[in-house]
Amino acid sequence: MSKALRLSEKWFRRGLWLVALVFAGFLIGLGGTLVGDLPKVEKRLEIDDFLDRTVAERLREDIKRLERSAGDSQAALEQARLKHRVAQSDTRSASETFNNWLATRRVTQLSEQDPELIARTRALDGLRQSQRDAKSGVEAQEQAVLDARQAQARSRQQLQDMEEAAQKKLAAEYRRVELRVFLYRLALTLPLLVAAGWLFKKKRHSTYWPFVWGFIFFALFAFFVELVPYLPSYGGYVRYIVGIIVTALVGRQAIVSLNRYLERQKAAEQLPDAQRREELSYDTALARLAKGVCPGCERPVDLKSDKLDFCPHCGIGLFDHCGHCTTRKSAFAKFCHACGTGAASGPGAATGPGLTRLVPGPA
Ligand SMILES: [Zn+2]
Ligand SMILES: [Zn+2]
């Protein structure tokens, strides 16, 4: 990137890149604060926004009430079962006593005991009756528990069906919200991106380039961090398609630029030597020579050889002789390194101290 060869200029350029980065950082911070302070465009949606609230509330109340009543019935059922067990064991012990008494009576055959027999049989019948009552009490409580549980299950099922339908609507709404959020962000980011593209095309070499590049970094950050993650996915289709389009555009631009560069280079190689020399900046030429390539065509040349005066690939003059002292010197040097005379390159060039006027030599 940096073509500067002067030491201080190099450091100034590095400092200016730092300015560009800091400028971008502050722009990003300002943009983030602005977006954060904007009124929230979308409220958070909940499943309750998509179902009949009164019906849902009633069902939820029912479920709670039935839960409570099932619990109460369950407790009553435990009580009834206990009562039944007590009645069972009362009956069992009473009937054992009765049987024993009956066996004794058979042995003694006392007929005056008949009224007692009737009384004892009645008492036993009474116990059996209360056992049956306790059993039907248990059955009634079992029925109550079952009713409560089934009613609760029905309400639950109804609520679940409603919630499933609402869930589908909520998911559809979320997709719409996602798209809206993306469009808001696009509306904010696209003008930045367009401005950055224009600045890159027209102003990237201007005097105020650090600010231009700072703005470009800011726009790229806004695009890749504030916009791309909000791109609706639609199962990955959109992201991949956008990726393919962006890659195709970038690739096409790279191919076009390469062809343009090659055409420019070819056209430049057709020009007369002096004109080509004039079009090359001094620093660019020196940087290319330092890398061991021809400053005209950027192909590798053997600069150490003392026989090589012209590039064998494009014919540009690489070495010539000082017009004053005839020392062999780089054709791109501005002054002769042996006598300090200002150099004009090419045969037929006017020479003299400090004079660098160029005249076209033979092509
Ligand atoms: Zn060359
Ligand atoms: Zn000289």
Side-chain angles (χ1 to χ4, degrees), residues 218-238:
F218 163 59
L220 286 178
F221 178 86
F223 180 72
F224 283 108
V225 177
E226 305 284 354
L227 185 66
V228 168
Y230 292 89
L231 205 61
S233 143
Y234 293 114
Y237 282 101
V238 172

Side-chain angles (χ1 to χ4, degrees), residues 269 276 293-299 301 311-316 318:
E269 282 169 24
R276 291 175 65 190
V293 298
C294 162
C297 65
E298 294 184 62
R299 293 189 184 98
V301 282
C311 170
H313 311 295
C314 69
I316 200 167
L318 296 173

Side-chain angles (χ1 to χ4, degrees), residues 108-134:
T108 53
Q109 294 286 336
L110 290 171
S111 58
E112 62 265 28
Q113 278 178 334
D114 281 353
E116 198 186 343
L117 173 66
I118 292 164
R120 277 180 183 257
T121 312
R122 262 198 205 131
L124 194 57
D125 282 347
L127 281 174
R128 287 215 174 98
Q129 183 58 46
S130 62
Q131 187 189 336
R132 271 196 298 278
D133 289 350

Side-chain angles (χ1 to χ4, degrees), residues 47 51 59 153-168:
I47 196 159
L51 39 77
L59 283 171
R154 272 197 299 279
S155 295
R156 257 191 224 287
Q157 187 59 47
Q158 211 178 335
L159 185 63
Q160 200 184 334
D161 290 347
M162 280 176 74
E163 281 178 345
E164 267 168 26
Q167 188 65 46
K168 271 187 202 129

Side-chain angles (χ1 to χ4, degrees), residues 71-88:
D72 292 348
S73 303
Q74 187 67 41
L77 177 61
E78 301 297 326
Q79 287 290 341
R81 276 188 183 143
L82 185 65
K83 222 165 152 187
H84 181 227
R85 275 202 296 279
V86 170
Q88 259 179 332

Side-chain angles (χ1 to χ4, degrees), residues 60-214:
R60 282 180 190 142
E61 280 301 313
D62 282 356
I63 289 170
K64 250 184 253 168
R65 188 173 49 74
L66 289 166
E67 178 73 52
R68 264 199 308 277
S69 95
D72 292 348
S73 303
Q74 187 67 41
L77 177 61
E78 301 297 326
Q79 287 290 341
R81 276 188 183 143
L82 185 65
K83 222 165 152 187
H84 181 227
R85 275 202 296 279
V86 170
Q88 259 179 332
S89 74
D90 283 354
T91 312
R92 210 181 301 122
S93 64
S95 75
E96 269 169 24
T97 317
F98 180 71
N99 287 341
N100 290 343
W101 180 81
L102 213 58
T104 326
R105 185 178 170 271
R106 249 184 240 118
V107 174
T108 53
Q109 294 286 336
L110 290 171
S111 58
E112 62 265 28
Q113 278 178 334
D114 281 353
E116 198 186 343
L117 173 66
I118 292 164
R120 277 180 183 257
T121 312
R122 262 198 205 131
L124 194 57
D125 282 347
L127 281 174
R128 287 215 174 98
Q129 183 58 46
S130 62
Q131 187 189 336
R132 271 196 298 278
D133 289 350
K135 186 151 182 15
S136 57
V138 168
E139 280 162 358
Q141 282 310 324
E142 275 174 347
Q143 186 65 50
V145 171
L146 188 67
D147 285 349
R149 294 249 182 260
Q150 282 179 346
Q152 198 190 5
R154 272 197 299 279
S155 295
R156 257 191 224 287
Q157 187 59 47
Q158 211 178 335
L159 185 63
Q160 200 184 334
D161 290 347
M162 280 176 74
E163 281 178 345
E164 267 168 26
Q167 188 65 46
K168 271 187 202 129
K169 283 188 205 157
L170 180 66
E173 186 61 28
Y174 263 134
R175 279 195 293 278
R176 276 194 290 278
V177 168
E178 206 181 38
L179 186 64
R180 269 206 297 279
V181 168
F182 172 73
L183 289 177
Y184 296 142
R185 284 177 178 266
L186 185 68
L188 286 176
T189 319
L190 196 62
L192 291 179
L193 215 57
V194 170
W198 181 82
L199 283 172
F200 179 76
K201 214 165 175 179
K202 305 274 178 193
K203 297 282 178 190
R204 73 190 135 146
H205 296 307
S206 79
T207 316
Y208 298 103
W209 64 265
F211 299 108
V212 170
W213 278 100

